[in-house]
Amino acid sequence: MKTPNKKSALSEVHGVDQPEAVSSVVAHQIQQFRRKKPSTEELVTRILNGDKTALSRAITLVESTNPEHLEKANEVIKDCLPHANKSVRIGITGVPGVGKSTFIEAFGKYLTSIGKKVAVLAVDPSSSISHGSILGDKTRMEELVKDENAFIRPSASGDTLGGVARKTRESIILCEACGFDTIIIETVGVGQSETAVHSMVDFFLLLKISGAGDELQGIKRGIMEMADTIVINKADGDNIQKAKLAKTEFNRALHLFPAKSSGWIPKVTTCSAYEQTGIDAVWEIISSYFEMVKANSYFDEKRQSQNQFWMMETINEQLKTRFYNHPEISTLLEENKKAVQNNQLSPFAAAQILLERYFKN
Amino acid sequence: MKTPNKKSALSEVHGVDQPEAVSSVVAHQIQQFRRKKPSTEELVTRILNGDKTALSRAITLVESTNPEHLEKANEVIKDCLPHANKSVRIGITGVPGVGKSTFIEAFGKYLTSIGKKVAVLAVDPSSSISHGSILGDKTRMEELVKDENAFIRPSASGDTLGGVARKTRESIILCEACGFDTIIIETVGVGQSETAVHSMVDFFLLLKISGAGDELQGIKRGIMEMADTIVINKADGDNIQKAKLAKTEFNRALHLFPAKSSGWIPKVTTCSAYEQTGIDAVWEIISSYFEMVKANSYFDEKRQSQNQFWMMETINEQLKTRFYNHPEISTLLEENKKAVQNNQLSPFAAAQILLERYFKN
């Protein structure tokens, strides 16, 4: 043992070297990962290893409007794709007030308790306007958010439902590659978002409460027809009897719709997300659905046709965006609109003029 | 008086020259008009003079798939446009079996009896498949078809609803330029044709019969919401009481819908097209609607927004048609569809590849 070189009385002799609390190698790696932008390969490797930080980062790339980020996002998705698709995708909708967050918290916790890995995403095109995302306030699912086997991501913002939908679709792929086997997509229950969500999930759950009187709206907007199950929430306390009555009524209403091409007969059930009762029955319904559609090959057919749908949808949206954002067209469009207004041009002739100009360029 | 040159006993002496039954000048003109293709100016002049033969011919041009005819059609429409728009356009729908033809016959005859000039057109995209047009069998309106102040035209055929709708929209312009002040557009009451018709008329009439039990369908497909009036037909004999009951029920159902932006409150009435009762009440409802919307300027606003809609719709349809019919694209599309199916490409990446190729050309 050497005598220290320092002259201070406070100097001490060296003892046995203690291991560092944090491995400097690992600390360096984490720092590098956080500070530097990890390479595509690195991101993919980490995602495939179930790293939620890497997953979050990849989703951020998907949601970015920066063309460089988008290019990188496309690479990540391409490499994740062969590892995706091994999950069940469940859409959950319901008008504000039915208790969607409480239900998803209770349902998600139930799923992780039986060994599932649960990712919760959201489609909320309105959040881009109000800047308030439905899942933004994560404290609304405070139990689930702390769960190691759960991943919660607020709704992507975007100018259009199409944009939000694309981001969500690609986030699903990333979550699946990260090992999440149960993907829940929440929608706000207003506007056209249900249709978008319906076209990206395998199973569609409509959350209701008894006596809300919004049945007509649901029928009108085709929501009830899309539902694979109707779950009547808040079946607790004084509400139990009313919820049972509502169950009978919804069962009757569902019979009025034509049979589903899946062969599945939609089921109605009641639950209390607050008291955490009836949640297992919901999962039983969903499980028996997946058993059936995986056996009759409807599961694969539906995913294939959803893929086709999104490919076409993206093309059609882009064709329009390119046309209407063309500087020459947008000027001419205003002129032609006026000419149509003044009965100098029929709408069809005006369209023809615009199209000819566009395709000449 | 000269002796005839012929030797036959059957020869007769010339008497006073009789005028020809048909003026040879006019006959020649008609022949020329029918045989030769009249010039655009000639067609327009005749249409503006109320010539139904010229109107028919112009509509045939509009319906043609020959590019030369279409060019001519566009010219005719352009010249007719300043003289159009001076009519009321009424859409009539109802599922098969409610008696649409009988109703239109009775309604049309009533309108001509009070001095209106009535044109009846039809939107039936299914007729292009079944080759059976709803108005093709003109004998179904045998009284109206003989009426000098009525013009009945079977549904244009076409591959797409968009195509049929365009032809009908342009035919409306021609009918109006020809002096028809009341345009009735019939739709078959199946598929999406109601929405197309709704977007080209001022007033939408839903024909019903009591106890048909198709209310849910009507609500679901948004038909009931589009209706400005619901007319319960076949209110005769034993049916009168049931029709009255249905009237009460429909009135209640209509109250569940949000208020119309026109400010109009939809009315329900009963009639018997067969016994020709209640037809005048239908016209009274329609008249009071037009009085209101012409006063509050909704009439003009709606026509303007319909024009805009059709302009955009035509553009969007054409953009898609051009893309998908592009020879290089259709090959690549099949390849990319397979790549998406095999999880080698995400739907969005596949769309991007297609779009890049398309816009490089």
Short mmCIF file of all heavy atoms in Angstrom, two decimals, chain B residues 328-342 344-345 357:
data_model
loop_
_atom_site.label_atom_id
_atom_site.label_comp_id
_atom_site.label_asym_id
_atom_site.label_seq_id
_atom_site.Cartn_x
_atom_site.Cartn_y
_atom_site.Cartn_z
N GLU B 328 -48.05 1.24 -66.98
CA GLU B 328 -46.93 0.88 -66.12
C GLU B 328 -47.39 0.69 -64.67
O GLU B 328 -46.93 -0.20 -63.96
CB GLU B 328 -45.88 1.99 -66.19
CG GLU B 328 -44.47 1.51 -65.95
CD GLU B 328 -43.49 2.66 -66.11
OE1 GLU B 328 -43.68 3.48 -67.04
OE2 GLU B 328 -42.57 2.76 -65.29
N ILE B 329 -48.31 1.57 -64.25
CA ILE B 329 -48.80 1.51 -62.87
C ILE B 329 -49.58 0.23 -62.61
O ILE B 329 -49.38 -0.42 -61.58
CB ILE B 329 -49.67 2.76 -62.57
CG1 ILE B 329 -48.82 4.04 -62.55
CG2 ILE B 329 -50.42 2.61 -61.25
CD1 ILE B 329 -47.69 4.04 -61.54
N SER B 330 -50.44 -0.15 -63.54
CA SER B 330 -51.27 -1.31 -63.26
C SER B 330 -50.42 -2.58 -63.11
O SER B 330 -50.77 -3.46 -62.32
CB SER B 330 -52.36 -1.48 -64.32
OG SER B 330 -51.80 -1.55 -65.60
N THR B 331 -49.30 -2.64 -63.82
CA THR B 331 -48.38 -3.79 -63.64
C THR B 331 -47.72 -3.72 -62.26
O THR B 331 -47.72 -4.71 -61.51
CB THR B 331 -47.26 -3.77 -64.72
OG1 THR B 331 -47.86 -3.48 -65.98
CG2 THR B 331 -46.53 -5.10 -64.77
N LEU B 332 -47.18 -2.54 -61.98
CA LEU B 332 -46.48 -2.35 -60.70
C LEU B 332 -47.44 -2.53 -59.51
O LEU B 332 -47.05 -3.02 -58.45
CB LEU B 332 -45.85 -0.95 -60.68
CG LEU B 332 -44.86 -0.65 -59.55
CD1 LEU B 332 -43.68 -1.60 -59.59
CD2 LEU B 332 -44.36 0.80 -59.67
N LEU B 333 -48.68 -2.13 -59.71
CA LEU B 333 -49.68 -2.25 -58.65
C LEU B 333 -49.85 -3.71 -58.24
O LEU B 333 -49.88 -4.03 -57.05
CB LEU B 333 -51.02 -1.67 -59.14
CG LEU B 333 -52.16 -1.61 -58.12
CD1 LEU B 333 -51.87 -0.58 -57.04
CD2 LEU B 333 -53.48 -1.26 -58.80
N GLU B 334 -49.93 -4.58 -59.22
CA GLU B 334 -50.08 -6.01 -58.93
C GLU B 334 -48.88 -6.54 -58.15
O GLU B 334 -49.02 -7.28 -57.18
CB GLU B 334 -50.28 -6.81 -60.23
CG GLU B 334 -51.65 -6.61 -60.86
CD GLU B 334 -52.80 -6.71 -59.87
OE1 GLU B 334 -52.85 -7.71 -59.13
OE2 GLU B 334 -53.62 -5.75 -59.79
N GLU B 335 -47.67 -6.11 -58.58
CA GLU B 335 -46.45 -6.53 -57.88
C GLU B 335 -46.46 -6.06 -56.43
O GLU B 335 -46.17 -6.82 -55.51
CB GLU B 335 -45.22 -5.95 -58.58
CG GLU B 335 -44.87 -6.62 -59.90
CD GLU B 335 -43.78 -5.84 -60.64
OE1 GLU B 335 -42.95 -5.18 -59.96
OE2 GLU B 335 -43.79 -5.85 -61.87
N ASN B 336 -46.81 -4.79 -56.25
CA ASN B 336 -46.79 -4.22 -54.90
C ASN B 336 -47.87 -4.82 -54.01
O ASN B 336 -47.67 -4.98 -52.80
CB ASN B 336 -46.94 -2.69 -54.96
CG ASN B 336 -45.61 -2.02 -55.28
OD1 ASN B 336 -44.66 -2.70 -55.66
ND2 ASN B 336 -45.54 -0.72 -55.13
N LYS B 337 -49.00 -5.15 -54.62
CA LYS B 337 -50.06 -5.80 -53.85
C LYS B 337 -49.52 -7.10 -53.26
O LYS B 337 -49.78 -7.43 -52.11
CB LYS B 337 -51.26 -6.12 -54.75
CG LYS B 337 -52.28 -5.01 -54.85
CD LYS B 337 -53.49 -5.47 -55.64
CE LYS B 337 -54.48 -4.34 -55.84
NZ LYS B 337 -55.60 -4.74 -56.72
N LYS B 338 -48.77 -7.84 -54.07
CA LYS B 338 -48.20 -9.11 -53.60
C LYS B 338 -47.18 -8.87 -52.49
O LYS B 338 -47.16 -9.60 -51.51
CB LYS B 338 -47.55 -9.85 -54.77
CG LYS B 338 -48.55 -10.71 -55.50
CD LYS B 338 -47.90 -11.71 -56.44
CE LYS B 338 -48.92 -12.18 -57.46
NZ LYS B 338 -48.57 -11.79 -58.82
N ALA B 339 -46.35 -7.84 -52.68
CA ALA B 339 -45.32 -7.53 -51.67
C ALA B 339 -45.99 -7.16 -50.34
O ALA B 339 -45.51 -7.54 -49.27
CB ALA B 339 -44.43 -6.40 -52.16
N VAL B 340 -47.10 -6.45 -50.41
CA VAL B 340 -47.83 -6.08 -49.19
C VAL B 340 -48.40 -7.35 -48.55
O VAL B 340 -48.30 -7.55 -47.34
CB VAL B 340 -48.95 -5.06 -49.51
CG1 VAL B 340 -49.89 -4.89 -48.33
CG2 VAL B 340 -48.37 -3.72 -49.91
N GLN B 341 -48.93 -8.22 -49.39
CA GLN B 341 -49.52 -9.47 -48.92
C GLN B 341 -48.48 -10.33 -48.19
O GLN B 341 -48.79 -10.98 -47.21
CB GLN B 341 -50.05 -10.23 -50.14
CG GLN B 341 -51.14 -11.21 -49.81
CD GLN B 341 -51.96 -11.51 -51.06
OE1 GLN B 341 -52.06 -10.68 -51.97
NE2 GLN B 341 -52.55 -12.69 -51.11
N ASN B 342 -47.23 -10.30 -48.70
CA ASN B 342 -46.17 -11.10 -48.09
C ASN B 342 -45.39 -10.37 -47.01
O ASN B 342 -44.30 -10.79 -46.64
CB ASN B 342 -45.21 -11.59 -49.18
CG ASN B 342 -45.92 -12.39 -50.23
OD1 ASN B 342 -46.91 -13.05 -49.96
ND2 ASN B 342 -45.42 -12.32 -51.47
N GLN B 344 -43.64 -7.77 -47.15
CA GLN B 344 -42.36 -7.22 -47.56
C GLN B 344 -42.44 -5.70 -47.64
O GLN B 344 -41.42 -5.01 -47.57
CB GLN B 344 -41.95 -7.79 -48.92
CG GLN B 344 -41.61 -9.28 -48.85
CD GLN B 344 -41.69 -9.94 -50.21
OE1 GLN B 344 -42.52 -9.57 -51.03
NE2 GLN B 344 -40.81 -10.91 -50.44
N LEU B 345 -43.64 -5.19 -47.82
CA LEU B 345 -43.85 -3.75 -47.90
C LEU B 345 -45.06 -3.39 -47.07
O LEU B 345 -46.03 -4.14 -47.04
CB LEU B 345 -44.14 -3.35 -49.35
CG LEU B 345 -43.01 -3.07 -50.33
CD1 LEU B 345 -43.60 -2.72 -51.69
CD2 LEU B 345 -42.12 -1.93 -49.84
N ARG B 357 -43.20 6.47 -59.03
CA ARG B 357 -43.08 6.02 -60.42
C ARG B 357 -44.03 6.83 -61.33
O ARG B 357 -43.66 7.28 -62.41
CB ARG B 357 -43.40 4.53 -60.52
CG ARG B 357 -43.39 3.94 -61.93
CD ARG B 357 -41.98 3.74 -62.47
NE ARG B 357 -41.27 2.74 -61.71
CZ ARG B 357 -41.25 1.43 -62.02
NH1 ARG B 357 -41.87 1.01 -63.09
NH2 ARG B 357 -40.60 0.58 -61.28
#
